[in-house]
Amino acid sequence: MDGTSLRQDRPSIPLVVAAAVSTGAGVVHIGAAAGHDSDPVLVWLFGTCAAAQIAWAALAIVRPRPLVLGAGIALNGGAFACWALTRTVGLFGPLA
């Protein structure tokens, strides 16, 4: 067995970093859900986001396919965009 076959089986460093950051964001969202326990909608929103981010991180390491990677960009980019909107414009819709 040569060293190149082992290297191809391991996820790349940028992918591991992205998965770690997504997991960290998921943990932050778990904390946010616990901090908003008086509002069931926010608990559900933060909990769902946390579950999706942590699940994506695991899936990305196990199956680093282009579709999975694109889903991670959309998921985490969307979470960041929502966060940025709530910090600049404020809450909107039924949560306002």
Side-chain angles (χ1 to χ4, degrees), residues 25-96:
V27 170
V28 168
H29 284 120
I30 290 170
H36 289 88
D37 60 347
S38 62
D39 188 343
V41 173
L42 287 176
V43 170
W44 181 87
L45 181 71
F46 285 126
T48 301
C49 187
Q53 287 174 315
I54 293 169
W56 176 83
L59 185 62
I61 294 297
V62 174
R63 297 186 149 257
R65 308 285 190 270
L67 183 63
V68 172
L69 302 179
I73 291 169
L75 169 67
N76 288 297
F80 178 79
C82 288
W83 173 82
L85 282 173
T86 63
R87 300 295 140 226
T88 57
V89 178
L91 292 175
F92 51 89
L95 300 175

